[in-house]
Amino acid sequence: GHSSRSAEPYLLLVRQQVLKRVVLPRRMRARVSLIAALFVVSGAAGLVDQVCFSKYLSYVVGSTAHAVSAVLAAFMAGMAIGARIGGRYAHRIERPLFAYGVLELVVGATVAATPFAFSLLPDMYLWLVQRAPGSPLVIALVRWLLAVLFVIVPTTAMGATLPLLSRLTEWESDASLRERALGVLYASNTLGGAVGSLASVYLLLPALGLRGTTLGAAGASIVVGVVAMSIGGAPTTAVGRPVVDRTAEPLSPPAEQALTQTPFALALVAFMSGALVFASEVVFVHLLVLLVGTSAYAFGVILSIFLSCLFLGAALAPRVYRRYRAVALPAGLLLAAIALGLTLPVWPRIP
C-alpha cells in the first residue's frame, strides 16, 4: 500500500471527487469505508517501511543524503515496475480485492525478512566497494543496486496494487459514484502514508526499535492482506469486462485530447515533475538534519509534509484547472519553482 505512490495518475479522479461533493449512497458506504480503512493501514505500513529501509541503509553508507536518495530511487523504481506489470494484467483479474490482498501478503512477507537481509548488507557493501576503490561513481552505483536488491520485491508488489485500485469500484454501475469512491480510496492511502511516516519516527522507532518497527509494519501489511482476501473472494465483473456506464458524461475535448493524443508529452511532464519532487525531498531532508539532528526524524517529517502537500495540491488543482484550463499546468509549475526559490533564504535563518 503506499505512499510514496504518486498523485498524478489519479488527479482527474480526485478532481471529480472534490468538485462534485456528492455524498456516497448508503449501499456504497460500508464497502468503501472498509476498503478505505485497509488503504489507510496499508499506506501507513508502506511509509513505515520506507523510513526503516532508509535507516537500515544509513548504517552502511553513513550519510543521510546518500541513504535517502538510494532508498527513494529504489523505492520508486520498484513502484514503477510494479505499476507497469499491474497495468498490463489488472483488467484480466476477476477478483481485484483478493489479488490486492495477495500482493499485501507478499509485501508483508518480504518486509518481515528485511532485518535478516540487511544484516548481510555491510559485508556485501564492503566487498563490492573494495573492487573499485576511489571511484565515487562506482560506489554510488553499488549503493543504489544494493538498495534495489533489498527493496525491489516489496516495492514491486506495492506498485502493482495501483492498477488494482481502479478495479475496486467496478461493482458500482454509476460512473460518477465509481470515481468518487476511487477518490476516497486514494485519499485514504495518502492519509495513511502521512500518518505512518510521522508515527514511525515519533512513536514506533523510539518504542519498538528499528527491527520491531519493521516487523510491525510487515505484520500490518499481512493483516491487511488477509482481510482483503477474506472479503474479496467474490468476483465483481467478468474477466476483462469492466462495468461501463453508457450514460456517463464524456470527457471534455481538452481532457480527451490530453489523454489520447499527447501521451508522450504527459509522460515527460510527469517524469520531470516527479524527478524534481524527489530531488527536492532529498535536499530538504539534508537541510532538516541540521535542525532536528537525526536522519530518521528528518526523513519522517519531510515524507509526511510531502504526502500531505501532494494530497492538498491534488485537491486544489482541479479547481484551478476548471478555471484556467491550459494555463493551469505551466502556471502551477512556475509557482512551484518560485515557492521553492523563496525558501532558500529561510533555511539559514532557522535556529
Side-chain angles (χ1 to χ4, degrees):
H2 314 287
S3 107
S4 31
R5 304 172 180 186
S6 174
E8 295 177 44
Y10 300 102
L11 183 58
L12 178 62
L13 301 176
V14 177
R15 182 188 83 154
Q16 293 173 348
Q17 179 210 357
V18 172
L19 291 180
K20 292 181 181 179
R21 296 181 181 178
V22 177
V23 178
L24 292 174
R26 181 175 299 177
R27 59 191 169 85
M28 296 180 63
R29 291 177 193 169
R31 182 180 177 91
V32 171
S33 297
L34 179 56
I35 299 176
L38 295 179
F39 270 62
V40 169
V41 177
S42 174
L47 267 296
V48 172
D49 295 339
Q50 192 169 347
V51 171
C52 291
F53 291 161
S54 176
K55 189 70 174 175
Y56 272 117
L57 194 61
S58 69
Y59 289 156
V60 178
V61 302
S63 169
T64 300
H66 291 163
V68 168
S69 59
V71 168
L72 282 177
F75 226 82
M76 298 312 297
M79 295 277 288
I81 294 171
R84 176 64 176 172
I85 296 173
R88 172 170 290 188
Y89 298 105
H91 68 283
R92 303 180 186 179
I93 296 176
E94 190 174 354
R95 297 178 292 174
L97 187 57
F98 185 89
Y100 168 78
V102 172
L103 290 173
E104 285 292 335
L105 288 182
V106 173
V107 172
T110 52
V111 170
T114 296
F116 171 74
F118 271 101
S119 68
L120 306 175
L121 186 57
D123 293 337
M124 294 176 60
Y125 182 70
L126 290 175
W127 184 86
L128 291 172
V129 168
Q130 288 172 357
R131 306 280 80 79
S135 175
L137 179 61
V138 172
I139 292 174
L141 181 61
V142 167
R143 185 185 302 122
W144 183 78
L145 289 175
L146 288 176
V148 169
L149 176 65
F150 287 104
V151 307
I152 192 66
V153 175
T155 54
T156 299
M158 291 177 189
T161 64
L162 291 176
L164 291 176
L165 181 65
S166 63
R167 295 284 319 277
L168 295 180
T169 58
E170 290 182 350
W171 37 267
E172 173 54 53
S173 59
D174 186 286
S176 63
L177 293 179
R178 287 203 309 270
E179 292 159 358
R180 182 159 312 287
L182 191 55
V184 169
L185 296 181
Y186 171 74
S188 301
N189 192 246
T190 307
L191 173 64
V195 172
S197 58
L198 277 181
S200 63
V201 296
Y202 286 103
L203 295 177
L204 300 178
L205 283 173
L208 303 177
L210 184 55
R211 180 185 177 88
T213 300
T214 305
L215 295 178
S221 295
I222 291 174
V223 170
V224 168
V226 171
V227 174
M229 291 174 65
S230 66
I231 65 177
T236 57
T237 63
V239 178
R241 297 191 318 175
V243 176
V244 177
D245 183 5
R246 303 291 182 183
T247 64
E249 294 183 4
L251 289 172
S252 62
E256 185 175 5
Q257 182 181 15
L259 289 174
T260 60
Q261 297 183 9
T262 59
F264 177 78
L266 290 176
L268 182 61
V269 171
F271 176 85
M272 294 301 297
S273 63
L276 291 173
V277 164
F278 285 102
S280 300
E281 184 173 338
V282 173
V283 172
F284 288 156
V285 168
H286 198 55
L287 291 172
L288 195 59
V289 167
L290 302 176
L291 302 178
V292 300
T294 65
S295 60
Y297 284 104
F299 193 35
V301 169
I302 291 297
L303 278 177
S304 178
I305 293 173
F306 264 71
L307 285 171
S308 300
C309 291
L310 282 174
F311 172 68
L312 291 176
L316 293 175
R319 297 173 179 264
V320 177
Y321 174 77
R322 190 178 187 183
R323 184 169 183 177
Y324 298 103
R325 295 294 178 179
V327 182
L329 180 58
L333 294 174
L334 179 60
L335 289 174
I338 293 173
L340 185 61
L342 291 176
T343 64
L344 296 179
V346 176
W347 287 97
R349 301 177 181 274
I350 298 177

